[in-house]
Every structure is written in structure tokens, then in C-alpha cells.
Amino acid sequence: MMKKIICLLLAIVTVFVFVSCGETCTVHVDDNGDGKCDVCKSDYVSPADVIFNMVAESNPTSIKTVTDAAFDGVSYIGVYETVIYEDGSFVYSFSQERPVHINEDIEESYVTEKGEVTYENGVYTLNGVAVSGAPDVAYLNIKSAITKANVPNFTVDSTGRELTANINAAACKAIFGINVNAETVSLTVKTNGVRLHQIILSYEDANGVVVTAQTAYAYTPVSA
């Protein structure tokens, strides 16, 4: 009997030693956000924070967004592409399909609107004509608004590389600059473990329009 009591005491002491050393903490938790595991007190950054940091710190040289708005059995495609040069200048081009308006004398069922914005030496040009102030450039800076404040509820996959969330219309406006008439907007942020790789937005609005926007990022330096 005495041996059993001694063994039990030794087991209890061993558990306390392991906890104090952090060796039994197989799943770290940092609910208070102080950068320390709440259990073993070791330095710890959650997978979600790693992804949010990658998004904030990414400096891509190429940003390409492809949108698809589908309704009445027809998809309208948009392509928005930005190339950022080493000197800070950039070229942004867009091509967006849209339905023909009822008052337009056009035989085709859709038209494609195109344009190009450039920035160089502090001067913006729109389709070759200098303009005052910065023109609206869709999808260029969406990553800067992907923060915990705008994306409070999220899930990170088992690899720690992909974050998914359902956001509301206000967050969608803050991140993408668009007004959506939808109760739920799906957001996916993908990394390659080192850098931001892709951002995907998808939703169906109250009119039955299904929208998907996929933005891809590349980082190869580009000389002007």
C-alpha cells in the first residue's frame, strides 16, 4: 500500500514538473493576445496572427483580380491587373464586361469597358490623360484592410496557411470598397506559408447575382 501511495505522489510531482517546463502543452493557447501561451508561458503566435501579419507585410509587385458576376445564366468577366515597379510607379489596367443598357444602340448582348491608370513621378494619368488626384483603382489595396477588426470571426485550416471567414456587408465595403446586398459574404485568404498568395471573395446578392473575385499576388521585382 505504501508503495502505491509513493508511486502516486511521484506521478503527481512529475505532472507539475512537466507543466512548469511547458512539456505537456501540446496545444498552445493565447486568449489574452500577449504573445505568450496561457498554459506554458512560452512565446507563441497563433496561426491566424501569422496570416494577418503576412497580409499586412506583403509587398507584391503584381496584383491580378479576376471577377465573375453571373445572373440569368450569363457570366460577366472582369480582369483588373496592376504591375508595381521598383521605383514606386505602377500601371493598372482593367477590362470589365457588362450587359448592354436598354438605351444603347448596340447589337451585342454585352460590352467590354477597358481603361488604364498609370502613376509615375507623382503624376496620375487615366487612359493617357493626366488627372488631378488618385483615380479609383479597384482591388489594388484590399489586403491593407484585412485585419482582425474587419474579420473578427475566422477559421484557420490544419496547415495554418489558409484562413476563411464569413463577413458582413460593412466589412466587405471596408475591404473591397464595394456595396453588397447580401447577408453573408465568404472570404478566403491563402498563403504559401511565407507570403500572401490569394484572396477570394464570393457571395450571392438579393437579386440572385453570384459574384466571385479572385485576387492573386506575385513578388518578382519589376524594373520600369
Side-chain angles (χ1 to χ4, degrees), residues 99-142:
V100 173
H101 297 153
I102 193 169
N103 60 345
E104 292 180 307
D105 186 18
I106 300 175
E107 295 183 359
E108 289 79 5
S109 60
Y110 71 92
V111 295
T112 302
E113 296 180 340
K114 297 182 178 181
E116 182 177 272
V117 174
T118 64
Y119 173 77
E120 186 176 8
N121 297 324
V123 178
Y124 291 93
T125 63
L126 175 60
N127 296 330
V129 179
V131 295
S132 59
D136 183 23
V137 180
Y139 301 103
L140 177 60
N141 296 312
I142 60 176

Side-chain angles (χ1 to χ4, degrees), residues 28-50:
H28 295 293
V29 178
D30 182 19
D31 289 336
N32 60 11
D34 65 351
K36 300 284 186 180
C37 176
D38 297 340
V39 178
C40 66
K41 306 304 179 183
S42 62
D43 292 337
Y44 173 65
V45 180
S46 71
D49 285 334
V50 170

Side-chain angles (χ1 to χ4, degrees), residues 88-101:
S89 61
F90 69 79
V91 176
Y92 164 85
S93 59
F94 67 89
S95 173
Q96 177 65 63
E97 298 174 351
R98 65 164 177 81
V100 173
H101 297 153

Side-chain angles (χ1 to χ4, degrees), residues 113-212:
E113 296 180 340
K114 297 182 178 181
E116 182 177 272
V117 174
T118 64
Y119 173 77
E120 186 176 8
N121 297 324
V123 178
Y124 291 93
T125 63
L126 175 60
N127 296 330
V129 179
V131 295
S132 59
D136 183 23
V137 180
Y139 301 103
L140 177 60
N141 296 312
I142 60 176
K143 70 178 186 63
S144 62
I146 296 181
T147 63
K148 277 189 174 180
N150 289 329
V151 189
N153 301 309
F154 50 79
T155 301
V156 177
D157 73 349
S158 60
T159 69
R161 296 186 175 189
E162 183 173 314
L163 180 148
T164 57
N166 289 326
I167 60 176
N168 58 26
C172 191
K173 173 66 175 178
I175 296 171
F176 294 92
I178 57 178
N179 294 305
V180 300
N181 185 13
E183 292 185 2
T184 303
V185 178
S186 174
L187 174 68
T188 301
V189 179
K190 296 184 177 183
T191 76
N192 61 6
V194 178
R195 289 172 169 170
L196 172 65
H197 173 63
Q198 189 179 43
I199 295 172
I200 303 173
L201 166 79
S202 62
Y203 63 91
E204 181 176 355
D205 71 11
N207 298 314
V209 181
V210 179
V211 177
T212 302

